[in-house]
Amino acid sequence: MTEVIKIVNDIKSKNYKPIYFLCGEETYYIDRISDLIEKSVLTEDEKSFNQVVLYGRDTTVEEIVSTAKRFPMMADYQVVIVKEAQNLSKTFEKFESYAVNPQLTTILVFAYRDKPDGRKKIFKTIKDKGVWFESKKLYDNQVPDWIVKVLKGQNYGIEPKAAAMLAEFLGTDLAKINNELEKLKIVFPEGHIFTPKNIEENIGFSKDYNVFELKSALATRNQQKAYAIIHNFAANPKDNPIVVVSGQMFAFFAQLLQYHGLKDKSKFNAAKALGVNPFFMDEYATASKNYPMRKVSQIIEIIRDMDVKSKGVGSGSMKEADMLKELVYKIFN
């Protein structure tokens, strides 16, 4: 995120580079930086003659180079943006001669929505002459902290549980998460601290029947609550696909196994080791008392077995809802 801030600040300060190569599997920052250049470098009057948007599937390296070599008309710069540039991957090395000596009055932006082989000569040249930015996907456990940081930069706050709920409900798609945050900001004034209730009421996420609460019920051995959640999942299978539920449960018990193995189980050390917010460490401490290490190992095997069954191996005619009920039963017994 520090790298993104520097790129954005340089653009806002008009400290432009002749080439911006924005790549990676996480498209959120690729789009944000590309959009910032598209909207802010030129005035509306200058854009008519000096801003060109091309698409990788409809253009060639030769056309891009020819366009980039033009001089701006009645402006200091021209902007050439190549979207979906990954479609040019097979011929991209032809761009080498331009990259070695780019037109300094052109700002050439490649939005390459994939991970290229950065060892190739062309990409090393781009790194030397311009901005190379690789946008990497966040791990599941990194998303809540990302939400906290984004909102803090926008003068909002969010409770740890609310951030975890958002991350669990929306996954690791940062663009999707950002869209939901923008909706929340319309409803609540600057300075507001978002709560789990805000998330439930404005994003359609049930605070009582979700994987987050299921993990909590399992950790505290609250069987009544766990079975109530499972019954709700069974009634709404499309909203709670078994692959997501089993994946989250596997991640929780794998972290619990890791917690058992820690010598220093102090809250902040354990949180750092497990990659979770310290707010949730009391839950892990409780779970470790309810599930000894040997039992946790057995549970992990049970979840793996159910995951195989959910993919049609050895499950017979067993329904997903019954698989989940059986899984919870075996965890408690």
Side-chain angles (χ1 to χ4, degrees):
M1 203 164 178
T2 303
E3 188 179 0
V4 175
I5 293 171
K6 183 181 186 311
I7 293 171
V8 168
N9 287 340
D10 281 347
I11 293 169
K12 289 181 176 179
S13 302
K14 301 186 183 299
N15 181 20
Y16 306 128
K17 297 294 183 182
I19 304 172
Y20 288 83
F21 192 85
L22 314 173
C23 62
E25 297 173 336
E26 174 50 67
T27 61
Y28 174 75
Y29 286 118
I30 294 173
D31 293 339
R32 290 296 292 266
I33 297 171
S34 176
D35 288 347
L36 177 63
I37 294 172
E38 186 173 352
K39 293 174 182 177
S40 67
V41 172
L42 301 176
T43 66
E44 289 303 316
D45 291 337
E46 292 172 336
K47 287 178 184 177
S48 299
F49 296 104
N50 299 289
Q51 187 153 290
V52 179
V53 177
L54 302 170
Y55 289 85
R57 66 179 180 274
D58 300 323
T59 189
T60 63
V61 171
E62 290 80 6
E63 182 183 3
I64 295 167
V65 170
S66 176
T67 304
K69 284 184 175 180
R70 296 178 194 162
F71 287 96
M73 294 179 62
M74 295 177 289
D76 293 328
Y77 295 95
Q78 74 154 338
V79 175
V80 180
I81 299 174
V82 184
K83 298 186 177 183
E84 306 291 346
Q86 70 277 4
N87 288 298
L88 295 163
S89 61
K90 293 181 180 179
T91 58
F92 208 84
E93 291 186 46
K94 293 181 181 179
F95 184 67
E96 173 73 23
S97 60
Y98 179 86
V100 170
N101 187 28
Q103 177 72 278
L104 298 181
T105 53
T106 293
I107 298 171
L108 178 56
V109 183
F110 290 101
Y112 194 105
R113 299 160 76 90
D114 201 350
K115 183 178 180 180
D117 184 353
R119 298 169 298 177
K120 289 185 177 181
K121 184 180 179 183
I122 175 59
F123 297 127
K124 291 180 179 179
T125 303
I126 290 174
K127 290 176 185 178
D128 181 53
K129 296 290 184 176
V131 171
W132 167 282
F133 171 70
E134 182 177 345
S135 187
K136 299 178 180 178
K137 272 200 173 293
L138 296 184
Y139 293 111
D140 290 345
N141 61 10
Q142 294 175 312
V143 175
D145 283 343
W146 181 86
I147 293 171
V148 171
K149 289 176 183 177
V150 167
L151 287 174
K152 183 178 180 181
Q154 299 167 347
N155 295 318
Y156 284 86
I158 186 168
E159 293 181 5
K161 185 174 180 178
M165 287 172 66
L166 263 178
E168 183 176 304
F169 184 52
L170 300 172
T172 59
D173 186 334
L174 301 189
K176 186 177 181 180
I177 294 171
N178 185 68
N179 286 340
E180 296 299 332
L181 294 180
E182 291 299 320
K183 293 175 187 176
L184 287 171
K185 285 160 55 184
I186 292 172
V187 179
F188 296 94
E190 194 171 308
H192 181 78
I193 298 174
F194 297 111
T195 66
K197 186 177 181 180
N198 296 152
I199 305 304
E200 179 192 14
E201 293 178 345
N202 292 277
I203 300 183
F205 182 76
S206 172
K207 67 179 177 62
D208 295 317
Y209 301 110
N210 57 72
V211 180
F212 182 81
E213 290 300 326
L214 176 59
K215 289 189 292 185
S216 179
L218 293 173
T220 57
R221 292 192 67 85
N222 186 335
Q223 297 191 37
Q224 183 178 357
K225 184 177 180 180
Y227 283 117
I229 294 171
I230 289 298
H231 282 295
N232 180 270
F233 285 2
N236 302 280
K238 290 184 179 180
D239 296 331
N240 305 282
I242 193 169
V243 64
V244 174
V245 177
S246 62
Q248 291 285 339
M249 292 171 72
F250 179 86
F252 174 73
F253 282 103
Q255 287 176 321
L256 183 57
L257 187 64
Q258 186 181 357
Y259 179 86
H260 270 296
L262 294 176
K263 292 182 179 179
D264 181 357
K265 290 184 173 65
S266 61
K267 180 176 287 189
F268 289 98
N269 180 73
K272 184 178 180 181
L274 270 60
V276 300
N277 191 296
F279 175 86
F280 300 106
M281 291 318 302
D282 288 342
E283 191 169 274
Y284 283 88
T286 299
S288 70
K289 295 174 183 176
N290 288 326
Y291 302 96
M293 183 179 283
R294 180 176 292 180
K295 177 62 177 175
V296 176
S297 297
Q298 292 172 352
I299 290 171
I300 289 173
E301 288 304 314
I302 291 168
I303 296 172
R304 282 176 172 159
D305 181 59
M306 193 210 68
D307 181 59
V308 172
K309 285 183 179 179
S310 71
K311 294 169 182 172
V313 180
S315 61
S317 58
M318 195 174 189
K319 296 179 180 179
E320 288 189 358
D322 293 328
M323 291 183 197
L324 283 174
K325 291 174 186 176
E326 181 183 286
L327 173 61
V328 172
Y329 174 82
K330 287 182 176 179
I331 288 174
F332 283 132
N333 294 282

